[in-house]
Amino acid sequence: MTQLTGRPILGAPGELGARPVLSALLTGVRTALLGLAVVTVPVLGLWVVTPFADDGAAGALRLASALWLLGHGAPVLRGSAGVPLSVAPLGLGLLAVGQLYRAAGRVAARGEGRPGGRGGVRAVWAGYCAVACAVVAQCAGAGEFRARVVADLAAVALVAGLAVAAGARRPGAAPVGAEALERALAGLPERVRPTGGAPVVRVAALAAGAGLLAAGGLVVAVAAVLTAVGGGAGSAVLAGGPAAVAGALLLTLVLLPNTVLWGTAYALGPGFAVGAGTVVSPVRTALGPVPEFPLFALLPEPGAGGWRLAVCVLPALAGVVPGLLLGRAASAGGGRAAGPVRPGGPWPVTATVVAALVSGLLVGAAAAGLGWLAGGALGAGRMAELGPVPWWTAPAAAGWVALVAAPVAVLARSRALRPAAGGPRGSWRAGASLVPGALTGTARRGALLLRARAYAAVTRLAGVPGTATDPATAAAQDTPGVPGGRAR
């Protein structure tokens, strides 16, 4: 009996040999159902506690299915007129991607070393897409929310495929795009090439992106505090009873990542739109009628920027940490810390600037993608434009990071190499000092001459007795390192 139920029989060919693939398929189905339950349970709970609900349980299930599809970036149609709705709640999207990433990682680890073990990862994707087909079919008929079958299935399949592929990567594998970045940097001329700097450039770009997101979160937090203190809008939601307040809070929670990205676009300068022909930026705010929703209550009053321009300091601060990282790497010849200089020597100043520019370009590309994901359409006509404009947000993010990180990196490189170059008299190209020693002595001598002449003029006007001293001679005597100056 032990031999019949033992482990060897599970490895036999035939139906039992296909069990790992079936298990992976069920893992994908379970992952999709778990994410769907996270949306469905609160929606059904709100439907139960809402008095005089217009729709039945079928309408609540359709709403939950539509929200699940929107979380994957799949557009849906609302109402009998087919109004497009494409604003993706990124909170639900992050939840779905995180679940798929972990599920694919577990299945890939179990299938490692087995023949056909990578097929389990594809089975996870297939199981997830099978549930998506059922959800789209449930939303395809007539109702308040209707799915666009082809577009919705393609969006869910794409998001699931990317998440599964990322989760199934082997431990220690190079990050996505790392080889392309290394080849791009290696193709630069030697005098502007940050040798071995691809890892540091990626880390600097991640640090800059995290700083910009923190700036956006700070903008949203300050706006929430000011709105709470000033008693802002949202009275219609509060008047709807506990169910309306709970629904608004849940929707606000899943839209919080979108709001942070909108705050980031605001801090960068271009801002975002809340309808066609509108703009919300530190320079000026021009708004029309907006829907009654708690997040829209955080919008600033229309008018010129004024003191709001101070938020532009936050992106500048976000570029300091990447500059310090690149400066330390430049002094170490591409290393991650400012330790002993490698035999190849530190990066040239131009290579350090190029590394900062490349980091800014990476941040700009990420800002364009995230800005596109955070926006969309909330209806037809004027509300068809909502969120940041990617082709404005991307250059603003890249420009802020590059303009701040480049000088900070050069200064950090110079400071790190100063002891190794023999003090402040070293050449600035070696990283010792940005000002040559002879130029420093000339500037000091000029300052001392000016001070001596001012002192002589004051004593002459005051009639102070004493022997007058030639200002040039006095300045030369007080200036070390110049002809006639005092020895060190």
Side-chain angles (χ1 to χ4, degrees), residues 454-477:
Y455 177 77
V458 170
T459 54
R460 191 180 302 109
L461 291 175
V464 178
T467 304
T469 305
D470 183 22
T473 305
Q477 292 175 354

PDB file of all heavy atoms in Angstrom, residues 454-477:
ATOM      1  N   ALA A 454      40.758  99.523   1.004  1.00  0.00           N
ATOM      2  CA  ALA A 454      39.630 100.082   1.743  1.00  0.00           C
ATOM      3  C   ALA A 454      40.059 100.516   3.140  1.00  0.00           C
ATOM      4  O   ALA A 454      39.660 101.582   3.641  1.00  0.00           O
ATOM      5  CB  ALA A 454      38.504  99.050   1.815  1.00  0.00           C
ATOM      6  N   TYR A 455      40.910  99.723   3.779  1.00  0.00           N
ATOM      7  CA  TYR A 455      41.376 100.076   5.114  1.00  0.00           C
ATOM      8  C   TYR A 455      42.234 101.348   5.081  1.00  0.00           C
ATOM      9  O   TYR A 455      42.110 102.235   5.939  1.00  0.00           O
ATOM     10  CB  TYR A 455      42.178  98.908   5.688  1.00  0.00           C
ATOM     11  CG  TYR A 455      42.772  99.197   7.044  1.00  0.00           C
ATOM     12  CD1 TYR A 455      41.994  99.165   8.183  1.00  0.00           C
ATOM     13  CD2 TYR A 455      44.145  99.487   7.177  1.00  0.00           C
ATOM     14  CE1 TYR A 455      42.545  99.432   9.431  1.00  0.00           C
ATOM     15  CE2 TYR A 455      44.696  99.754   8.410  1.00  0.00           C
ATOM     16  CZ  TYR A 455      43.887  99.724   9.545  1.00  0.00           C
ATOM     17  OH  TYR A 455      44.440  99.987  10.773  1.00  0.00           O
ATOM     18  N   ALA A 456      43.121 101.452   4.059  1.00  0.00           N
ATOM     19  CA  ALA A 456      43.962 102.653   3.956  1.00  0.00           C
ATOM     20  C   ALA A 456      43.126 103.894   3.722  1.00  0.00           C
ATOM     21  O   ALA A 456      43.391 104.966   4.283  1.00  0.00           O
ATOM     22  CB  ALA A 456      44.979 102.461   2.820  1.00  0.00           C
ATOM     23  N   ALA A 457      42.090 103.782   2.894  1.00  0.00           N
ATOM     24  CA  ALA A 457      41.229 104.936   2.633  1.00  0.00           C
ATOM     25  C   ALA A 457      40.501 105.361   3.896  1.00  0.00           C
ATOM     26  O   ALA A 457      40.357 106.556   4.189  1.00  0.00           O
ATOM     27  CB  ALA A 457      40.236 104.597   1.520  1.00  0.00           C
ATOM     28  N   VAL A 458      40.025 104.415   4.676  1.00  0.00           N
ATOM     29  CA  VAL A 458      39.289 104.761   5.900  1.00  0.00           C
ATOM     30  C   VAL A 458      40.212 105.423   6.909  1.00  0.00           C
ATOM     31  O   VAL A 458      39.860 106.436   7.541  1.00  0.00           O
ATOM     32  CB  VAL A 458      38.639 103.487   6.489  1.00  0.00           C
ATOM     33  CG1 VAL A 458      38.084 103.760   7.881  1.00  0.00           C
ATOM     34  CG2 VAL A 458      37.531 102.989   5.575  1.00  0.00           C
ATOM     35  N   THR A 459      41.452 104.911   7.082  1.00  0.00           N
ATOM     36  CA  THR A 459      42.377 105.514   8.049  1.00  0.00           C
ATOM     37  C   THR A 459      42.829 106.900   7.608  1.00  0.00           C
ATOM     38  O   THR A 459      43.038 107.802   8.429  1.00  0.00           O
ATOM     39  CB  THR A 459      43.596 104.609   8.222  1.00  0.00           C
ATOM     40  OG1 THR A 459      44.162 104.341   6.939  1.00  0.00           O
ATOM     41  CG2 THR A 459      43.215 103.297   8.880  1.00  0.00           C
ATOM     42  N   ARG A 460      42.957 107.092   6.276  1.00  0.00           N
ATOM     43  CA  ARG A 460      43.358 108.403   5.784  1.00  0.00           C
ATOM     44  C   ARG A 460      42.259 109.445   6.044  1.00  0.00           C
ATOM     45  O   ARG A 460      42.512 110.561   6.431  1.00  0.00           O
ATOM     46  CB  ARG A 460      43.688 108.312   4.302  1.00  0.00           C
ATOM     47  CG  ARG A 460      44.364 109.582   3.764  1.00  0.00           C
ATOM     48  CD  ARG A 460      44.692 109.476   2.272  1.00  0.00           C
ATOM     49  NE  ARG A 460      45.566 108.340   1.993  1.00  0.00           N
ATOM     50  CZ  ARG A 460      45.181 107.257   1.367  1.00  0.00           C
ATOM     51  NH1 ARG A 460      43.931 107.152   0.939  1.00  0.00           N
ATOM     52  NH2 ARG A 460      46.040 106.277   1.146  1.00  0.00           N
ATOM     53  N   LEU A 461      41.016 109.061   5.798  1.00  0.00           N
ATOM     54  CA  LEU A 461      39.912 109.982   6.040  1.00  0.00           C
ATOM     55  C   LEU A 461      39.724 110.257   7.524  1.00  0.00           C
ATOM     56  O   LEU A 461      39.332 111.364   7.923  1.00  0.00           O
ATOM     57  CB  LEU A 461      38.616 109.410   5.454  1.00  0.00           C
ATOM     58  CG  LEU A 461      38.547 109.352   3.922  1.00  0.00           C
ATOM     59  CD1 LEU A 461      37.264 108.653   3.473  1.00  0.00           C
ATOM     60  CD2 LEU A 461      38.610 110.761   3.337  1.00  0.00           C
ATOM     61  N   ALA A 462      40.023 109.267   8.342  1.00  0.00           N
ATOM     62  CA  ALA A 462      39.864 109.463   9.785  1.00  0.00           C
ATOM     63  C   ALA A 462      41.029 110.196  10.400  1.00  0.00           C
ATOM     64  O   ALA A 462      40.967 110.604  11.564  1.00  0.00           O
ATOM     65  CB  ALA A 462      39.683 108.109  10.469  1.00  0.00           C
ATOM     66  N   GLY A 463      42.131 110.360   9.650  1.00  0.00           N
ATOM     67  CA  GLY A 463      43.295 111.071  10.176  1.00  0.00           C
ATOM     68  C   GLY A 463      44.032 110.295  11.227  1.00  0.00           C
ATOM     69  O   GLY A 463      44.608 110.886  12.147  1.00  0.00           O
ATOM     70  N   VAL A 464      44.045 108.994  11.145  1.00  0.00           N
ATOM     71  CA  VAL A 464      44.760 108.184  12.120  1.00  0.00           C
ATOM     72  C   VAL A 464      46.247 108.276  11.844  1.00  0.00           C
ATOM     73  O   VAL A 464      46.688 108.036  10.711  1.00  0.00           O
ATOM     74  CB  VAL A 464      44.294 106.713  12.048  1.00  0.00           C
ATOM     75  CG1 VAL A 464      45.074 105.855  13.032  1.00  0.00           C
ATOM     76  CG2 VAL A 464      42.803 106.635  12.321  1.00  0.00           C
ATOM     77  N   PRO A 465      47.070 108.679  12.845  1.00  0.00           N
ATOM     78  CA  PRO A 465      48.516 108.774  12.611  1.00  0.00           C
ATOM     79  C   PRO A 465      49.125 107.390  12.455  1.00  0.00           C
ATOM     80  O   PRO A 465      48.635 106.409  12.989  1.00  0.00           O
ATOM     81  CB  PRO A 465      49.035 109.464  13.860  1.00  0.00           C
ATOM     82  CG  PRO A 465      48.033 109.125  14.929  1.00  0.00           C
ATOM     83  CD  PRO A 465      46.706 109.047  14.247  1.00  0.00           C
ATOM     84  N   GLY A 466      50.191 107.305  11.713  1.00  0.00           N
ATOM     85  CA  GLY A 466      50.893 106.037  11.528  1.00  0.00           C
ATOM     86  C   GLY A 466      51.512 105.996  10.163  1.00  0.00           C
ATOM     87  O   GLY A 466      51.237 106.814   9.284  1.00  0.00           O
ATOM     88  N   THR A 467      52.373 105.052  10.007  1.00  0.00           N
ATOM     89  CA  THR A 467      53.057 104.882   8.733  1.00  0.00           C
ATOM     90  C   THR A 467      52.152 104.153   7.773  1.00  0.00           C
ATOM     91  O   THR A 467      51.622 103.078   8.084  1.00  0.00           O
ATOM     92  CB  THR A 467      54.362 104.074   8.921  1.00  0.00           C
ATOM     93  OG1 THR A 467      55.144 104.759   9.889  1.00  0.00           O
ATOM     94  CG2 THR A 467      55.115 103.946   7.619  1.00  0.00           C
ATOM     95  N   ALA A 468      51.943 104.715   6.577  1.00  0.00           N
ATOM     96  CA  ALA A 468      51.105 104.077   5.568  1.00  0.00           C
ATOM     97  C   ALA A 468      51.855 102.922   4.921  1.00  0.00           C
ATOM     98  O   ALA A 468      53.040 103.016   4.640  1.00  0.00           O
ATOM     99  CB  ALA A 468      50.680 105.089   4.503  1.00  0.00           C
ATOM    100  N   THR A 469      51.149 101.894   4.700  1.00  0.00           N
ATOM    101  CA  THR A 469      51.731 100.705   4.075  1.00  0.00           C
ATOM    102  C   THR A 469      51.139 100.538   2.698  1.00  0.00           C
ATOM    103  O   THR A 469      49.947 100.730   2.500  1.00  0.00           O
ATOM    104  CB  THR A 469      51.441  99.456   4.916  1.00  0.00           C
ATOM    105  OG1 THR A 469      51.909  99.683   6.241  1.00  0.00           O
ATOM    106  CG2 THR A 469      52.116  98.223   4.335  1.00  0.00           C
ATOM    107  N   ASP A 470      51.988 100.193   1.742  1.00  0.00           N
ATOM    108  CA  ASP A 470      51.506  99.976   0.381  1.00  0.00           C
ATOM    109  C   ASP A 470      50.503  98.822   0.371  1.00  0.00           C
ATOM    110  O   ASP A 470      50.820  97.726   0.827  1.00  0.00           O
ATOM    111  CB  ASP A 470      52.696  99.633  -0.518  1.00  0.00           C
ATOM    112  CG  ASP A 470      52.235  99.460  -1.973  1.00  0.00           C
ATOM    113  OD1 ASP A 470      51.173  99.989  -2.321  1.00  0.00           O
ATOM    114  OD2 ASP A 470      52.965  98.785  -2.722  1.00  0.00           O
ATOM    115  N   PRO A 471      49.302  99.046  -0.101  1.00  0.00           N
ATOM    116  CA  PRO A 471      48.307  97.962  -0.069  1.00  0.00           C
ATOM    117  C   PRO A 471      48.755  96.747  -0.836  1.00  0.00           C
ATOM    118  O   PRO A 471      48.479  95.622  -0.435  1.00  0.00           O
ATOM    119  CB  PRO A 471      47.065  98.617  -0.707  1.00  0.00           C
ATOM    120  CG  PRO A 471      47.270 100.087  -0.552  1.00  0.00           C
ATOM    121  CD  PRO A 471      48.736 100.301  -0.622  1.00  0.00           C
ATOM    122  N   ALA A 472      49.395  96.946  -1.986  1.00  0.00           N
ATOM    123  CA  ALA A 472      49.816  95.785  -2.769  1.00  0.00           C
ATOM    124  C   ALA A 472      50.832  94.960  -2.010  1.00  0.00           C
ATOM    125  O   ALA A 472      50.809  93.735  -2.016  1.00  0.00           O
ATOM    126  CB  ALA A 472      50.375  96.239  -4.113  1.00  0.00           C
ATOM    127  N   THR A 473      51.772  95.669  -1.307  1.00  0.00           N
ATOM    128  CA  THR A 473      52.787  94.949  -0.543  1.00  0.00           C
ATOM    129  C   THR A 473      52.163  94.188   0.610  1.00  0.00           C
ATOM    130  O   THR A 473      52.517  93.034   0.892  1.00  0.00           O
ATOM    131  CB  THR A 473      53.849  95.929  -0.025  1.00  0.00           C
ATOM    132  OG1 THR A 473      54.371  96.657  -1.127  1.00  0.00           O
ATOM    133  CG2 THR A 473      54.964  95.188   0.689  1.00  0.00           C
ATOM    134  N   ALA A 474      51.198  94.841   1.288  1.00  0.00           N
ATOM    135  CA  ALA A 474      50.539  94.178   2.408  1.00  0.00           C
ATOM    136  C   ALA A 474      49.767  92.959   1.950  1.00  0.00           C
ATOM    137  O   ALA A 474      49.768  91.904   2.583  1.00  0.00           O
ATOM    138  CB  ALA A 474      49.604  95.158   3.121  1.00  0.00           C
ATOM    139  N   ALA A 475      49.098  93.085   0.805  1.00  0.00           N
ATOM    140  CA  ALA A 475      48.338  91.947   0.299  1.00  0.00           C
ATOM    141  C   ALA A 475      49.254  90.814  -0.102  1.00  0.00           C
ATOM    142  O   ALA A 475      48.964  89.648   0.116  1.00  0.00           O
ATOM    143  CB  ALA A 475      47.474  92.382  -0.884  1.00  0.00           C
ATOM    144  N   ALA A 476      50.393  91.171  -0.712  1.00  0.00           N
ATOM    145  CA  ALA A 476      51.337  90.132  -1.123  1.00  0.00           C
ATOM    146  C   ALA A 476      51.927  89.421   0.072  1.00  0.00           C
ATOM    147  O   ALA A 476      52.178  88.225   0.051  1.00  0.00           O
ATOM    148  CB  ALA A 476      52.434  90.739  -1.995  1.00  0.00           C
ATOM    149  N   GLN A 477      52.172  90.204   1.188  1.00  0.00           N
ATOM    150  CA  GLN A 477      52.740  89.577   2.376  1.00  0.00           C
ATOM    151  C   GLN A 477      51.753  88.627   3.038  1.00  0.00           C
ATOM    152  O   GLN A 477      52.146  87.661   3.678  1.00  0.00           O
ATOM    153  CB  GLN A 477      53.181  90.657   3.372  1.00  0.00           C
ATOM    154  CG  GLN A 477      54.369  91.476   2.879  1.00  0.00           C
ATOM    155  CD  GLN A 477      54.703  92.602   3.838  1.00  0.00           C
ATOM    156  OE1 GLN A 477      53.988  92.833   4.803  1.00  0.00           O
ATOM    157  NE2 GLN A 477      55.806  93.300   3.570  1.00  0.00           N
TER     158      GLN A 477
END
